[in-house]
Amino acid sequence: QTRPKQAFITMASSKYMDTEHERLDGGHRDMWHKVNAAVVEANASPLSTNLPLAPVPEIDISCFVAPEQASDADRELVVQQVLSASQSLGFMNIIGHGVPHSLVDSVLCALRSFFESSVELKQQCIAKSMHGTFRGYTPFRFENHNAALGRPGPSDRRELYSFGPAQHQGGSAFGENTYPEFVDGFQHFIEEYYAECERLEKVLLEIFTLALAKSTGQSLDPQYLQHQIRPNRGLLAACWYPACEPSCQEVGVSGHTDWGPLTILLTTSPGLEVCMKSQDEETHQWRSVPVVPGAFTINVGDMLARWSNDRFVSCVHRVNTNNFCQSSRISIPYFSTQILPLSAKDEPTVGCVCANGEEPKYKPLSIRDYLQRNFSQLQQAGRNAGA
């Protein structure tokens, strides 16, 4: 039976799911309605396991990681590849990133040891709120992306353990991490991995800056985006999805977009899905993001989409635990810019970068106000759902 096309799906000429970041301005409830309507439509479409993988390109960024070994032509090719991915689906798998495989293995092993520990032990590391950003352990089903986006649905089927910069990494101005004393080497591996994510974030922000300059015709300093996000730091959030029974009523984390400029995701198993138009443009559907061994999945977030004046796509995505319910799953997203300093001195804003003669679609946005509001909504929704 064919479902009728729904008239409210009018979100852009791109065949990919439009962003939810328009909700930051007046009329955001209308955008929430569009996003949620498309998510509902995708939920009623065929399972992603019966569809082709999402068209996520694989991009080798080694010429930016080790620029002394690369030519200008190599760098220009990568910028064009990232620009094309950013303007279509907003997702890409990157290789040549320089993060040691041995460190990745050690981090995954340490986190698995933690999450497989007893509830009583994990409660010793319970999260503390730092300006809305949780640092530490967040229990199972504490957050609810459905409720935070104003739609019915169950809480997130996962646990989290979140970190910011350590004290020796300049983290004293951002609050403190908590570490389990019952997992050998945990703190060392997490701090080393966090440092690698910050290094990679800097490289990616340079590439995205060059892509933004290319798309707008503006001359931007290669460190433009890096300067724009200061003094904020990244949030490292290890996610644990326990083994579960398959369910047609819920997934691990429901449809949403990411709030920052970009996300660096480490995952070793399927489950991540993006919401995009079907090939016939009739309906939205969930398509699985391919898992590339040794790669990181990068996606454009709301802030970067806004900086680009909507040239770049912040795509709605979710984690579907029904695709791997027989076994547990770990993923580690690093959310750029989502750790705020405890005392506000500089207040970074997101302003549109426009081509000559182009009007900005959005007013400048306070990053602090935006993040605090979103974290508050997400956490309050989780508390209400558990009440």
Side-chain angles (χ1 to χ4, degrees):
Q1 184 175 359
T2 303
R3 293 186 309 276
K5 183 175 180 180
Q6 300 187 40
F8 50 68
I9 304 300
T10 57
M11 295 185 221
S13 58
S14 168
K15 73 175 182 177
Y16 301 112
M17 178 67 205
D18 198 4
T19 80
E20 79 172 345
H21 69 273
E22 291 181 45
R23 67 187 176 84
L24 304 174
D25 299 315
H28 64 268
R29 290 295 172 184
D30 290 339
M31 191 58 202
W32 274 9
H33 173 72
K34 291 179 181 179
V35 169
N36 292 338
V39 167
V40 169
E41 187 178 69
N43 289 347
S45 296
L47 297 176
S48 63
T49 50
N50 298 325
L51 297 170
L53 293 174
V56 176
E58 183 178 318
I59 304 174
D60 186 344
I61 65 167
S62 56
C63 59
F64 280 90
V65 173
E68 67 281 357
Q69 302 174 13
S71 67
D72 290 343
D74 294 332
R75 291 163 60 87
E76 177 61 27
L77 175 60
V78 169
V79 170
Q80 182 57 54
Q81 289 174 325
V82 169
L83 175 58
S84 297
S86 301
Q87 291 177 323
S88 54
L89 188 58
F91 272 76
M92 61 207 80
N93 282 318
I94 62 162
I95 58 175
H97 45 71
V99 180
H101 295 304
S102 58
L103 176 59
V104 169
D105 291 342
S106 296
V107 167
L108 290 171
C109 182
L111 287 167
R112 180 170 291 276
S113 295
F114 171 81
F115 284 118
E116 289 180 343
S117 299
S118 67
V119 173
E120 291 74 20
L121 284 175
K122 289 186 286 190
Q123 291 285 349
Q124 297 175 12
C125 303
I126 201 72
K128 299 177 182 179
S129 179
M130 307 289 182
H131 286 308
T133 303
F134 272 3
R135 304 272 289 277
Y137 173 65
T138 301
F140 188 63
R141 292 195 185 279
F142 183 82
E143 295 181 339
N144 188 327
H145 278 80
N146 282 311
L149 289 169
R151 62 178 178 246
S155 299
D156 301 347
R157 192 158 62 177
R158 68 176 182 182
E159 306 170 33
L160 297 97
Y161 202 154
S162 303
F163 310 89
Q167 300 301 298
H168 68 86
Q169 295 168 328
S172 58
F174 298 86
E176 296 183 4
N177 292 325
T178 63
Y179 302 102
E181 297 180 356
F182 50 88
V183 179
D184 291 340
F186 189 97
Q187 180 174 350
H188 169 74
F189 294 133
I190 289 295
E191 291 177 357
E192 287 293 310
Y193 184 74
Y194 186 92
E196 285 294 307
C197 286
E198 282 207 313
R199 176 191 61 78
L200 183 54
E201 173 192 33
K202 185 176 181 180
V203 172
L204 290 168
L205 286 171
E206 178 183 353
I207 298 173
F208 278 114
T209 296
L210 295 172
L212 183 57
K214 185 179 181 69
S215 67
T216 59
Q218 300 296 335
S219 177
L220 299 176
D221 184 291
Q223 304 306 312
Y224 173 79
L225 288 175
Q226 182 71 35
H227 295 322
Q228 293 298 303
I229 68 172
R230 291 176 179 172
N232 295 3
R233 306 285 288 273
L235 173 67
L236 186 67
C239 305
W240 174 256
Y241 301 88
C244 59
E245 294 296 323
S247 170
C248 61
Q249 302 298 323
E250 63 177 331
V251 294
V253 178
S254 61
H256 64 283
T257 60
D258 292 345
W259 304 332
L262 61 90
T263 302
I264 303 171
L265 176 69
L266 168 64
T267 186
T268 59
S269 56
L272 179 62
E273 299 176 339
V274 292
C275 186
M276 55 180 289
K277 281 290 188 73
S278 59
Q279 291 183 345
D280 60 9
E281 300 282 331
E282 287 293 313
T283 60
H284 289 86
Q285 56 188 204
W286 294 111
R287 300 272 290 276
S288 293
V289 174
V291 177
V292 177
F296 287 99
T297 300
I298 311 300
N299 66 278
V300 172
D302 293 348
M303 290 183 196
L304 185 51
R306 191 182 182 103
W307 260 308
S308 74
N309 209 29
D310 278 348
R311 283 179 170 80
F312 296 174
V313 176
S314 179
C315 183
V316 173
H317 54 280
R318 71 177 186 177
V319 177
N320 187 353
T321 51
N322 294 307
N323 290 350
F324 53 89
C325 58
Q326 297 87 357
S327 58
S328 58
R329 177 182 187 266
I330 292 179
S331 66
I332 314 177
Y334 173 92
F335 299 107
S336 174
T337 316
Q338 289 193 15
I339 293 285
L340 302 169
L342 298 179
S343 58
K345 295 181 181 179
D346 299 321
E347 287 289 354
T349 59
V350 179
C352 299
V353 177
C354 300
N356 291 337
E358 180 184 23
E359 291 294 325
K361 295 183 179 181
Y362 309 102
K363 297 178 181 178
L365 170 74
S366 165
I367 292 178
R368 175 178 292 271
D369 291 347
Y370 169 50
L371 290 177
Q372 288 181 336
R373 179 170 66 248
N374 284 353
F375 275 116
S376 176
Q377 289 174 340
L378 179 61
Q379 293 157 12
Q380 186 60 48
R383 283 191 289 267
N384 291 344

